Amino acid sequence: MSAPSPAPPAPPARPEAADESRWAALIAALDTAAKVRLLTGASLWALHGEPRLGLHPVVTSDGPQGVRGTGEVPGETGLLAPAPSATGATWDIELAERLGRVFAAEARRKNVDVVLAPLVNLQRTPVAGRHFECLSEDPLLSGALGAAIVRGLQGEGVAACLKHFVANDSETDRTRYRARIDPRTLREVYLAPFERILAETGPWSVMGAYSGLDDGTESAPVLEHRRILRGVLKDEWGYDGAVISDWAAARTTAATAVAGLDLVMPGPDGPWGDALVRAVHRGEVDEAVVDDKVLRLMRLAARVGKLTEPWTPGEQPPPLPAAPAPAPVGEEDFAALREVLTRGTVLLRDERALLPLDPGRLSRVALIGPNAVEPYLQGGGSAHVPAVRTVGYAEGLRAALPEGVGLTVHRGGSSRRHAPFVDPARLTGMRAAYFSEDGAPLGEEVRRTGDWGAFGVPDGAADVVLTGRITLAEPGEHLLEFGCAGRFTVALDGTPVHAGEDDRGVELVLDSGHHHPETHRRTVRVGADPVHLDLRIDLRVVDADGYGRFVTAHVRHLPPGPGVEDEIAEAVAAARAADAAVVVVGTNEEVESEGWDRPDLELTPQQHRLVRAVAAVNPRTVVVVNAGAPVLLPWAGEVSALLWAWLPGQEAGHALADVLFGRAEPSGRLPWTLPARAEDVPVPDAVPVDGVLDYREGLHIGHRGHDRAGTEPAFPFGHGLGWTTWSYDRVEVHEPPVPAPADPAPVLADGDGPRIAVTLTNTGPRTGREVVQAYLDAPDGAPGDPVRVLAGFAVAEVPAGGTVTVVLTLPRRVFQSWDEEHRCWRTPAGRRRLRVGRSSRDLRLTLDLAPALDLD
């Protein structure tokens, strides 16, 4: 072993550091209660202001797929970007930074100062409910792209909130489980993207996770984990920003305060307030700890332009620093989102060189599939953004096809587990009557809908009674489905048919039970005469702390109609008559969402039957997968062309048309591994046992786990084709000087280790974008290490026949391992082998790195 490495680089210097002694004096002049008041949110999204500090309210908003806003503007919409996993698939640092700038402009339009993004937890298991919100299964790729998004946001004066610190990588029991992770794995895998982003960009806020952590020394909820919050984040890494709780994650007073949490969200209630004041007076929490928290909030406010000179309470506050007004949302923004999606779209297979399709040679196109009719544009949960516009697949293809080319659209069967919400035309009502705790009526309202999810029930309301009449007219078998949250009773014609007694309060929000409650199904056979059913639903109002008070009732209905096989037969007939068939399959909000993990990686059986049936009658079939996380594709080798189109956001249809008809290259590369079989997945589930989620796979996450096991994935990490072919000509250690201007200009990637020069040639007929990937083999004599790790990457755009030299500067950290005994990083001695290629399994060049490389 060599000597320990030096400490990681410090975060960027604070421009306001010279003011901090003055800020500290202002803080010291406040009484304890006034200071503590600032440490819990004023509302669901906003922080308190304090005139005596010059502190104006800072406003936050959810953000990984857009900037949702605060809900104060009725009907407010916004830009809906592709899901973060699509950004991960671009492998493009410059593009990710541009996306961060788009988010910053959107935040300014909505008067938002802090965007709760990026999410840089890792895709530890493909069944994780928020898999689509993560950038990658790989710590290096996640860290590089996450840093770029932070640079884009904060370069425009909007704070990023890096989340969720740390190891909150799945949803099952996410507010209760403890992630048990050995120290080396914690450092080299799960802390790695956070460390890189903090060192490179200094995010102005970090969000602490719901879950807990057992690092072998301390076992506690993350927000009470002194060793990780104070010891690593603040002391070792020198983090100077604010640590914010995930919403309703803070449950204790002194334990969270001394561990390193700075701000409890949401407000105005929570475990601090008067309880923290008492804890300070009893000596359980040092007042200096409170002062430090307020100072961190002042730094945050200064960085986002919400700190001025102090003013006297009751007087007019000083004006905030002038900031350029962002331009209204327009075509330039739409084009940016479209580019992220096309560059992230992955061409997995093109066996017959079918793509791109030539629109001039088409007379009829069949667009088929449940997701062709109803695309899944964004994942469920806190990432949801009401889109300013949405372009479906049919709309996008129609706009791109020449006049006279026919486009037919066929669902090919539903892929949903639940029935749709009942048609309002079938409802008489629904009427909601509100009652106080003692049964006194408080008012009524009527909403003719089967989707009754209501936050903000009237003050004092303890119970809600919904009544209405459902009319079923068509002869045949009707399906009714009822779902409610909390305590409730559902009755039809006076007979109870469904009931619940769930008193978990805010947990119903945190596990998305209020969005997707368990349901009761009932079939009703209708003859010649319509059937009228009187519906009554008694609901107890749920108190969800800072989220407010709400009730949830879903009334769903599926009328008699064509069966799945009839719809598949219709789709097959259309495909047979078409010049090309485009089949779109995938997931929906029942499958991929915050709040729960998936039980498996399966598409519905009818989607598999549909793909095989269409491909059998039309060899010019393109299958498009509309999903954020892996799904099993047992027919992948049977179709001519296969595209992965992610959860695409608002520009779905335009981007797909760009790719199908050759206007843009699908230059994406998989940011995760697509398994061939469920049994090959290194981490098949995330179910805690006795409250513990054991990260027993250690360092072997994602592609590393597949390499260790020797399994053959359907498509490996980093895989993607595009419109051209490539030869990798040579790789060598790149020594200064940089090539002369007459030579091909190198493409640079950030890093602080050795520089590697890779020469490659575009051997195909079209200009193409290539993602050059470098992987470092395990050190000799280290059998427990991963077979290889991603060590660097860069994107190059090269004309047909062109040759370019790509220079990758590899991070020093990938050569090092964590020594827990001495709590430092060390570089193993000996020669290391670097492999370069197009994916983790398509490695074309090898370079032996001499042991003389100075990395410590």
Side-chain angles (χ1 to χ4, degrees):
M1 287 283 195
S2 64
S5 68
R14 302 193 306 267
E16 70 281 3
D19 297 325
E20 292 198 0
S21 59
R22 185 168 60 91
W23 296 351
L26 292 172
I27 294 169
L30 296 181
D31 62 86
T32 303
K35 289 183 281 192
V36 167
R37 171 180 169 272
L38 302 175
L39 305 181
T40 297
S43 64
L44 185 60
W45 300 112
L47 280 59
H48 286 286
E50 173 49 72
R52 292 169 290 180
L53 298 179
L55 187 63
H56 297 249
V58 171
V59 178
T60 68
S61 172
D62 274 320
Q65 202 167 345
V67 182
R68 184 166 60 190
T70 62
E72 295 180 357
V73 179
E76 185 175 41
T77 60
L79 293 171
L80 176 60
S85 54
T87 304
T90 69
W91 291 59
D92 192 319
I93 292 172
E94 185 274 334
L95 188 61
E97 185 170 338
R98 269 201 283 151
L99 182 61
R101 291 197 294 271
V102 170
F103 284 175
E106 181 79 337
R108 287 303 189 208
R109 292 184 195 106
K110 296 183 175 183
N111 296 314
V112 166
D113 305 302
V114 182
V115 176
L116 305 181
L119 189 159
V120 293
N121 295 113
L122 298 181
Q123 294 160 337
R124 174 177 177 257
T125 172
V127 301
R130 298 181 81 170
H131 189 287
F132 66 91
E133 279 192 69
C134 303
L135 292 161
S136 173
E137 69 183 19
D138 188 88
L140 185 140
L141 181 58
S142 296
L145 294 175
I149 293 170
V150 173
R151 279 195 298 271
L153 278 166
Q154 297 189 168
E156 302 297 325
V158 175
C161 185
L162 197 61
K163 65 182 190 181
H164 305 91
F165 191 78
V166 60
N168 194 174
D169 308 298
S170 51
E171 295 296 282
T172 303
D173 290 336
R174 66 172 174 169
T175 64
R176 293 182 290 273
Y177 74 71
R178 302 278 173 95
R180 180 183 292 155
I181 311 176
D182 69 86
R184 183 181 174 194
T185 297
L186 181 62
R187 290 282 186 160
E188 296 184 21
V189 180
Y190 297 97
L191 285 173
F194 289 94
E195 182 185 22
R196 175 173 182 162
I197 296 168
L198 286 157
E200 287 187 8
T201 69
W204 298 339
S205 62
V206 170
M207 181 184 289
Y210 286 118
S211 54
L213 175 66
D214 179 352
D215 63 1
T217 300
E218 181 179 355
S219 179
V222 165
L223 297 183
E224 300 175 18
H225 206 291
R226 298 192 196 194
R227 184 176 160 93
I228 199 71
L229 288 185
R230 288 181 58 185
V232 174
L233 179 61
K234 291 185 172 181
D235 294 342
E236 180 184 331
W237 291 352
Y239 177 61
D240 74 330
V243 177
I244 302 173
S245 75
D246 205 338
W247 266 230
R251 302 297 176 89
T252 60
T253 302
T256 51
V258 299
L261 179 64
D262 298 310
L263 175 67
V264 169
M265 290 296 290
D269 300 318
W272 284 5
D274 291 342
L276 183 53
V277 173
R278 291 192 295 271
V280 172
H281 291 162
R282 289 194 299 263
E284 297 171 6
V285 178
D286 194 305
E287 186 139 7
V289 170
V290 172
D291 291 351
D292 177 70
K293 299 178 191 306
V294 178
L295 180 62
R296 289 171 183 270
L297 294 182
M298 292 184 71
R299 287 182 192 134
L300 174 62
R303 289 163 171 168
V304 299
K306 287 296 184 73
L307 193 69
T308 63
E309 289 300 312
W311 71 95
T312 302
E315 294 185 352
Q316 186 71 21
L320 293 169
V329 170
E331 290 298 327
E332 183 177 345
D333 300 297
F334 303 155
L337 302 186
R338 190 166 168 173
E339 183 178 7
V340 171
L341 184 53
T342 57
R343 288 201 191 176
T345 299
V346 183
L347 179 59
L348 295 173
R349 175 181 168 87
D350 191 13
E351 189 66 17
R352 302 169 184 263
L354 176 59
L355 294 177
L357 300 171
D358 183 351
R361 296 188 177 185
L362 300 173
S363 60
R364 182 179 299 177
V365 176
L367 179 61
I368 294 167
N371 288 56
V373 174
E374 192 177 357
Y376 190 33
L377 302 180
Q378 59 181 317
S382 60
H384 183 85
V385 176
V388 65
R389 79 173 191 185
T390 57
V391 182
Y393 292 127
E395 180 185 351
L397 267 59
R398 283 195 179 101
L401 285 169
E403 187 176 349
V405 176
L407 177 70
T408 60
V409 182
H410 311 269
R411 186 173 70 166
S414 172
S415 62
R416 294 189 169 272
R417 180 167 62 96
H418 293 297
F421 287 110
V422 64
D423 185 342
R426 298 179 184 271
L427 285 176
T428 305
M430 301 271 285
R431 182 180 301 275
Y434 298 99
F435 299 91
S436 66
E437 187 70 48
D438 60 6
L442 298 177
E444 294 185 347
E445 68 169 309
V446 174
R447 272 196 278 162
R448 201 175 179 186
T449 176
D451 181 6
W452 199 284
F455 277 89
V457 297
D459 290 342
D463 295 283
V464 181
V465 178
L466 304 180
T467 55
R469 172 170 281 199
I470 303 171
T471 298
L472 309 177
E474 303 93 326
E477 191 168 88
H478 293 248
L479 172 66
L480 291 174
E481 193 172 358
F482 305 101
C484 303
R487 282 185 171 268
F488 64 89
T489 302
V490 180
L492 284 176
D493 288 341
T495 302
V497 297
H498 188 31
E501 297 183 351
D502 191 337
D503 289 323
R504 289 180 299 144
V506 71
E507 289 290 336
L508 291 168
V509 175
L510 301 183
D511 71 2
S512 290
H514 68 308
H515 280 314
H516 297 283
E518 291 296 320
T519 61
H520 167 79
R521 293 185 168 202
R522 185 180 185 88
T523 57
V524 179
R525 179 160 292 280
V526 176
D529 298 323
V531 171
H532 304 283
L533 299 170
D534 288 323
L535 174 66
R536 176 180 170 125
I537 304 176
D538 290 77
L539 299 157
R540 186 72 169 175
V541 174
V542 177
D543 187 346
D545 298 339
Y547 286 94
R549 302 167 71 247
F550 72 93
V551 293
T552 295
H554 291 176
V555 182
R556 299 174 178 271
H557 169 246
L558 183 67
V564 170
E565 298 308 321
D566 296 325
E567 290 195 43
I568 291 177
E570 176 191 283
V572 168
R576 185 182 285 112
D579 300 307
V582 179
V583 183
V584 188
V585 295
T587 59
N588 53 52
E589 75 279 359
E590 298 174 352
V591 180
E592 293 191 80
S593 176
E594 178 181 2
W596 65 87
D597 297 318
R598 293 189 289 166
D600 53 48
L601 301 180
E602 292 290 345
L603 292 174
T604 53
Q606 57 265 38
Q607 292 189 78
H608 294 311
R609 295 201 302 274
L610 177 66
V611 168
R612 285 186 160 122
V614 170
V617 301
N618 191 331
R620 293 173 60 79
T621 293
V622 181
V623 179
V624 179
V625 182
N626 170 205
V631 293
L632 297 176
L633 307 177
W635 36 260
E638 304 169 26
V639 299
S640 296
L642 179 59
L643 288 163
W644 199 283
W646 306 105
L647 304 183
Q650 66 177 57
E651 301 301 307
H654 286 327
L656 180 61
D658 288 345
V659 166
L660 288 177
F661 305 132
R663 297 175 178 175
E665 181 186 30
S667 56
R669 303 294 186 264
L670 287 178
W672 41 251
T673 305
L674 185 63
R677 307 179 307 164
E679 54 265 38
D680 294 340
V681 175
V683 183
D685 64 59
V687 179
V689 176
D690 296 327
V692 173
L693 197 56
D694 197 341
Y695 283 45
R696 61 175 58 89
E697 73 281 358
L699 303 170
H700 305 283
I701 181 177
H703 60 97
R704 302 177 181 186
H706 285 272
D707 287 344
R708 183 190 194 194
T711 55
E712 189 65 31
F715 297 99
F717 175 79
H719 172 74
L721 299 177
W723 292 154
T724 190
T725 55
W726 300 89
S727 72
Y728 279 63
D729 305 327
R730 65 181 180 274
V731 59
E732 55 195 356
V733 175
H734 183 80
E735 301 288 355
V738 174
D743 295 332
V747 182
L748 298 178
D750 292 334
D752 58 358
R755 292 159 59 87
I756 307 299
V758 182
T759 302
L760 66 157
T761 300
N762 180 347
T763 56
R766 301 181 58 156
T767 294
R769 295 174 64 83
E770 177 69 330
V771 179
V772 179
Q773 303 168 42
Y775 294 83
L776 187 67
D777 284 0
D780 294 336
D785 283 18
V787 174
R788 62 185 59 91
V789 298
L790 180 66
F793 62 92
V795 177
E797 184 166 335
V798 187
T803 297
V804 68
T805 297
V806 179
V807 177
L808 290 80
T809 305
L810 308 181
R812 175 178 52 184
R813 184 67 83 231
V814 300
F815 294 86
Q816 299 176 320
S817 61
W818 178 252
D819 180 345
E820 176 64 12
E821 181 181 356
H822 297 93
R823 294 189 61 76
C824 66
W825 292 93
R826 296 183 181 273
T827 304
R831 187 179 300 273
R832 301 294 294 274
R833 182 171 292 110
L834 192 74
R835 301 181 187 273
V836 179
R838 306 198 69 242
S839 78
S840 65
R841 295 292 179 91
D842 183 1
L843 299 171
R844 304 185 176 188
L845 299 172
T846 301
L847 178 66
D848 284 330
L849 299 175
L853 285 171
D854 184 11
L855 298 172
D856 281 337

